Amino acid sequence: MKIVALAGGVGGAKLAQGLAQTLPPEDLTIIVNTGDDFEHLGLSISPDLDTVCYTLAGLANNETGWGRAGETWNTISNIEKLGGPAWFRLGDQDFATHLERTRRLKEGQSLSQITSEFCKAWGIQVTVLPMSDSPVRTMVDSDEGELAFQEYFVHRHCEPRVKGFRFDGVEAAKPAPGVSEALEAADAVIFCPSNPWVSIDPILGVVKEINKPVVAVSPIIGGKTVKGPAAKMYSELGIEPSALAVAKHHRSTLKGFVLDHLDASMEEQIRQLGLATLVTNTLMNLPTDRSRLANDVLNFIGSL
Ligand code: FO1
């Protein structure tokens, strides 16, 4: 069964790893959000691509979910001592990724080429693609005006109240090479448990149409997110955060929806949206949870 998974952030990376442990490498393509990308300290930083790749390669920091395991912080500490911006915590090992990515982009390589070569270097066998090679930048409309995504997320700790989102550059952005081909060849598409507003929506903004059965895994469990601001965003946009709200958000694209046991009382309402449902344990606390959830989702897709 050929699968395309859309992912962004820590939850997305965890299920992507579960899928990579379950499917033959040639059957899995992971399309990653690049709306969080930004230029900082003169470097091109792609946080979601790096989170997915570090996780797949077993290099990720399991406590933060982002950045590298066993990291040291000498460079950023010295930048801070010199009075430079240190709010975005780049570790010494992580710096190498951004330096080398930036060097290659300046030489004219595309983000998808660079990602493919980094994946090879890190021993990643599945295909990881950025959603686009052209810049798309998520902008957060807030009660303090429009903020660039990392300014809102990391620098301002998601404190400004959200009023909406804009994906700068999305109209001109074409899917990266391989994205449309992977979707064409796929038997099904999985939305990983990633933020619907700022991880999945930017990818859909580039891809525009998916003509394959799509199953989404809810990133909201019991009205809360495991990590990240999705629940807070729903509340500030006047929508009660819930698995049902996520199902409604993606409703026009979905065939199936995976929700946690904790939200089983919403199953009927989600079915009434016309979606098939799977109620399972969607928390991925332990490494083994990732492949267990991947198996559950793949069996669910097989049953549709
Ligand atoms: N997230 C934080 O909350 N604080 C940080 O200092 C931070 C640094 C960072 C460095 C490299 C990287 O690839 C990711 C980093 N992230 C950090 C996470 C990242 O900005 C967000 O998790 C994603 O953009 C949201 O999906």
Side-chain angles (χ1 to χ4, degrees), residues 8-10 36 45-48 50-51 54 66-67 87-90 94 98 149-150 153-154 199:
V10 178
D36 296 10
I45 302 178
S46 296
D48 283 359
D50 292 343
T51 297
Y54 290 160
W66 50 264
W87 54 268
F88 198 77
R89 305 301 295 168
L90 293 168
D94 197 25
H98 312 306
F149 183 76
Q150 297 298 342
F153 189 96
V154 177
S199 293

Short mmCIF file of all heavy atoms in Angstrom, two decimals, residues 8-10 36 45-48 50-51 54 66-67 87-90 94 98 149-150 153-154 199, ligand 1:
data_model
loop_
_atom_site.label_atom_id
_atom_site.label_comp_id
_atom_site.label_asym_id
_atom_site.label_seq_id
_atom_site.Cartn_x
_atom_site.Cartn_y
_atom_site.Cartn_z
N GLY A 8 4.01 18.06 9.93
CA GLY A 8 4.69 19.27 10.38
C GLY A 8 4.79 19.18 11.88
O GLY A 8 3.88 18.68 12.52
N GLY A 9 5.89 19.58 12.44
CA GLY A 9 6.01 19.61 13.90
C GLY A 9 6.24 18.25 14.53
O GLY A 9 6.42 17.23 13.84
N VAL A 10 6.20 18.23 15.86
CA VAL A 10 6.64 17.06 16.62
C VAL A 10 5.68 15.87 16.49
O VAL A 10 6.12 14.74 16.27
CB VAL A 10 6.84 17.47 18.11
CG1 VAL A 10 7.26 16.28 18.95
CG2 VAL A 10 7.89 18.58 18.22
N ASP A 36 6.82 27.19 8.24
CA ASP A 36 7.52 27.65 9.46
C ASP A 36 8.95 28.08 9.16
O ASP A 36 9.66 28.54 10.06
CB ASP A 36 7.64 26.51 10.48
CG ASP A 36 6.31 26.03 11.01
OD1 ASP A 36 5.29 26.43 10.46
OD2 ASP A 36 6.32 25.24 11.97
N ILE A 45 16.52 28.35 7.78
CA ILE A 45 16.13 27.35 8.77
C ILE A 45 14.79 26.74 8.38
O ILE A 45 13.84 27.46 8.05
CB ILE A 45 16.09 28.00 10.17
CG1 ILE A 45 17.48 28.58 10.47
CG2 ILE A 45 15.67 26.99 11.26
CD1 ILE A 45 17.64 29.29 11.76
N SER A 46 14.72 25.42 8.38
CA SER A 46 13.51 24.68 8.01
C SER A 46 13.13 23.78 9.19
O SER A 46 13.40 22.57 9.17
CB SER A 46 13.77 23.83 6.76
OG SER A 46 14.05 24.64 5.65
N PRO A 47 12.49 24.34 10.22
CA PRO A 47 12.29 23.59 11.47
C PRO A 47 11.51 22.28 11.29
O PRO A 47 11.90 21.25 11.87
CB PRO A 47 11.50 24.56 12.35
CG PRO A 47 11.82 25.91 11.81
CD PRO A 47 12.00 25.72 10.34
N ASP A 48 10.44 22.29 10.49
CA ASP A 48 9.64 21.06 10.39
C ASP A 48 10.38 19.98 9.60
O ASP A 48 10.33 18.79 9.96
CB ASP A 48 8.27 21.35 9.77
CG ASP A 48 7.32 21.99 10.78
OD1 ASP A 48 7.73 22.19 11.94
OD2 ASP A 48 6.17 22.29 10.42
N ASP A 50 13.56 19.61 9.49
CA ASP A 50 14.61 19.08 10.37
C ASP A 50 14.02 18.21 11.47
O ASP A 50 14.59 17.16 11.80
CB ASP A 50 15.42 20.24 10.98
CG ASP A 50 16.25 20.95 9.90
OD1 ASP A 50 16.44 20.35 8.81
OD2 ASP A 50 16.70 22.08 10.14
N THR A 51 12.87 18.60 12.02
CA THR A 51 12.24 17.78 13.07
C THR A 51 11.89 16.40 12.51
O THR A 51 12.16 15.37 13.13
CB THR A 51 10.99 18.49 13.62
OG1 THR A 51 11.41 19.71 14.23
CG2 THR A 51 10.26 17.64 14.66
N TYR A 54 15.39 14.53 11.62
CA TYR A 54 16.12 14.11 12.84
C TYR A 54 15.37 12.95 13.51
O TYR A 54 15.99 12.01 14.02
CB TYR A 54 16.25 15.27 13.83
CG TYR A 54 17.19 16.41 13.44
CD1 TYR A 54 17.07 17.66 14.04
CD2 TYR A 54 18.19 16.24 12.49
CE1 TYR A 54 17.93 18.71 13.71
CE2 TYR A 54 19.05 17.29 12.16
CZ TYR A 54 18.92 18.52 12.77
OH TYR A 54 19.76 19.56 12.45
N TRP A 66 12.19 18.91 19.07
CA TRP A 66 12.93 19.57 17.98
C TRP A 66 14.41 19.59 18.34
O TRP A 66 14.78 19.43 19.51
CB TRP A 66 12.40 20.98 17.74
CG TRP A 66 12.27 21.84 18.96
CD1 TRP A 66 11.14 22.03 19.70
CD2 TRP A 66 13.31 22.60 19.61
NE1 TRP A 66 11.41 22.86 20.77
CE2 TRP A 66 12.73 23.23 20.74
CE3 TRP A 66 14.66 22.81 19.35
CZ2 TRP A 66 13.46 24.05 21.60
CZ3 TRP A 66 15.39 23.64 20.21
CH2 TRP A 66 14.79 24.25 21.32
N GLY A 67 15.24 19.82 17.33
CA GLY A 67 16.69 19.88 17.57
C GLY A 67 17.28 18.49 17.77
O GLY A 67 16.60 17.48 17.60
N TRP A 87 17.02 34.08 21.03
CA TRP A 87 15.70 33.54 21.42
C TRP A 87 15.38 32.25 20.69
O TRP A 87 14.64 31.42 21.21
CB TRP A 87 14.59 34.58 21.22
CG TRP A 87 14.51 35.18 19.83
CD1 TRP A 87 15.13 36.30 19.39
CD2 TRP A 87 13.77 34.67 18.70
NE1 TRP A 87 14.83 36.54 18.07
CE2 TRP A 87 14.00 35.56 17.63
CE3 TRP A 87 12.93 33.57 18.49
CZ2 TRP A 87 13.43 35.37 16.37
CZ3 TRP A 87 12.35 33.38 17.23
CH2 TRP A 87 12.60 34.27 16.19
N PHE A 88 15.94 32.07 19.50
CA PHE A 88 15.72 30.81 18.77
C PHE A 88 16.93 29.93 19.06
O PHE A 88 18.03 30.21 18.60
CB PHE A 88 15.56 31.09 17.28
CG PHE A 88 14.91 29.95 16.53
CD1 PHE A 88 13.55 29.74 16.60
CD2 PHE A 88 15.68 29.08 15.78
CE1 PHE A 88 12.94 28.69 15.93
CE2 PHE A 88 15.08 28.02 15.10
CZ PHE A 88 13.71 27.83 15.17
N ARG A 89 16.73 28.91 19.87
CA ARG A 89 17.84 28.13 20.43
C ARG A 89 18.39 27.15 19.39
O ARG A 89 17.84 26.07 19.21
CB ARG A 89 17.39 27.36 21.68
CG ARG A 89 16.77 28.20 22.77
CD ARG A 89 17.65 29.30 23.30
NE ARG A 89 18.84 28.80 23.99
CZ ARG A 89 19.86 29.58 24.34
NH1 ARG A 89 19.87 30.87 24.03
NH2 ARG A 89 20.88 29.07 24.99
N LEU A 90 19.44 27.55 18.73
CA LEU A 90 20.09 26.68 17.77
C LEU A 90 21.28 26.00 18.44
O LEU A 90 22.17 26.68 18.95
CB LEU A 90 20.56 27.48 16.55
CG LEU A 90 19.44 28.08 15.68
CD1 LEU A 90 20.01 29.09 14.70
CD2 LEU A 90 18.69 26.98 14.93
N ASP A 94 23.02 21.29 15.35
CA ASP A 94 21.95 21.79 14.49
C ASP A 94 22.48 22.90 13.57
O ASP A 94 22.09 22.98 12.40
CB ASP A 94 20.82 22.30 15.40
CG ASP A 94 19.50 22.47 14.68
OD1 ASP A 94 19.28 21.78 13.67
OD2 ASP A 94 18.68 23.29 15.14
N HIS A 98 21.98 23.98 9.28
CA HIS A 98 21.54 25.27 8.70
C HIS A 98 22.65 25.92 7.87
O HIS A 98 22.38 26.51 6.83
CB HIS A 98 21.06 26.22 9.80
CG HIS A 98 20.12 25.56 10.75
ND1 HIS A 98 18.99 24.91 10.33
CD2 HIS A 98 20.17 25.41 12.09
CE1 HIS A 98 18.38 24.39 11.38
NE2 HIS A 98 19.07 24.67 12.46
N PHE A 149 5.78 33.61 11.59
CA PHE A 149 5.44 32.46 12.43
C PHE A 149 6.38 32.24 13.61
O PHE A 149 5.93 32.08 14.75
CB PHE A 149 5.35 31.18 11.59
CG PHE A 149 4.91 30.01 12.43
CD1 PHE A 149 3.60 29.85 12.82
CD2 PHE A 149 5.85 29.09 12.89
CE1 PHE A 149 3.20 28.81 13.64
CE2 PHE A 149 5.46 28.03 13.71
CZ PHE A 149 4.13 27.89 14.08
N GLN A 150 7.70 32.22 13.39
CA GLN A 150 8.62 31.92 14.51
C GLN A 150 8.67 33.05 15.52
O GLN A 150 8.94 32.82 16.70
CB GLN A 150 10.04 31.58 13.99
CG GLN A 150 10.11 30.34 13.12
CD GLN A 150 9.69 29.05 13.82
OE1 GLN A 150 9.63 28.95 15.04
NE2 GLN A 150 9.39 28.03 13.04
N PHE A 153 5.60 32.13 17.47
CA PHE A 153 5.66 30.82 18.13
C PHE A 153 6.76 30.76 19.18
O PHE A 153 6.51 30.41 20.33
CB PHE A 153 5.87 29.75 17.05
CG PHE A 153 5.75 28.34 17.54
CD1 PHE A 153 4.55 27.65 17.40
CD2 PHE A 153 6.82 27.67 18.10
CE1 PHE A 153 4.43 26.35 17.84
CE2 PHE A 153 6.71 26.37 18.54
CZ PHE A 153 5.50 25.70 18.42
N VAL A 154 7.97 31.09 18.79
CA VAL A 154 9.11 30.93 19.71
C VAL A 154 9.39 32.23 20.47
O VAL A 154 9.45 32.23 21.70
CB VAL A 154 10.37 30.43 18.96
CG1 VAL A 154 11.55 30.34 19.91
CG2 VAL A 154 10.12 29.08 18.30
N SER A 199 0.21 23.68 10.10
CA SER A 199 1.07 22.61 9.56
C SER A 199 0.42 21.97 8.33
O SER A 199 1.06 21.83 7.29
CB SER A 199 1.34 21.52 10.60
OG SER A 199 2.12 22.02 11.65
N1 FO1 B 1 11.00 25.77 19.43
C1 FO1 B 1 10.96 26.47 20.58
O1 FO1 B 1 9.91 26.50 21.24
N2 FO1 B 1 12.07 27.18 21.02
C2 FO1 B 1 13.23 27.17 20.33
O2 FO1 B 1 14.20 27.81 20.74
C3 FO1 B 1 13.30 26.40 19.12
C4 FO1 B 1 14.48 26.28 18.39
C5 FO1 B 1 14.49 25.45 17.25
C6 FO1 B 1 15.69 25.26 16.55
C7 FO1 B 1 15.71 24.46 15.42
C8 FO1 B 1 14.54 23.83 14.98
O3 FO1 B 1 14.58 23.06 13.89
C9 FO1 B 1 13.37 23.99 15.69
C10 FO1 B 1 13.32 24.80 16.83
N3 FO1 B 1 12.14 24.97 17.55
C11 FO1 B 1 12.12 25.71 18.69
C12 FO1 B 1 10.93 24.32 17.16
C13 FO1 B 1 10.19 24.98 16.01
O4 FO1 B 1 10.40 26.32 15.82
C14 FO1 B 1 8.67 24.70 16.10
O5 FO1 B 1 8.42 23.56 16.81
C15 FO1 B 1 8.09 24.46 14.77
O6 FO1 B 1 8.30 25.45 13.85
C16 FO1 B 1 6.58 24.20 14.92
O7 FO1 B 1 6.27 23.10 14.20
#
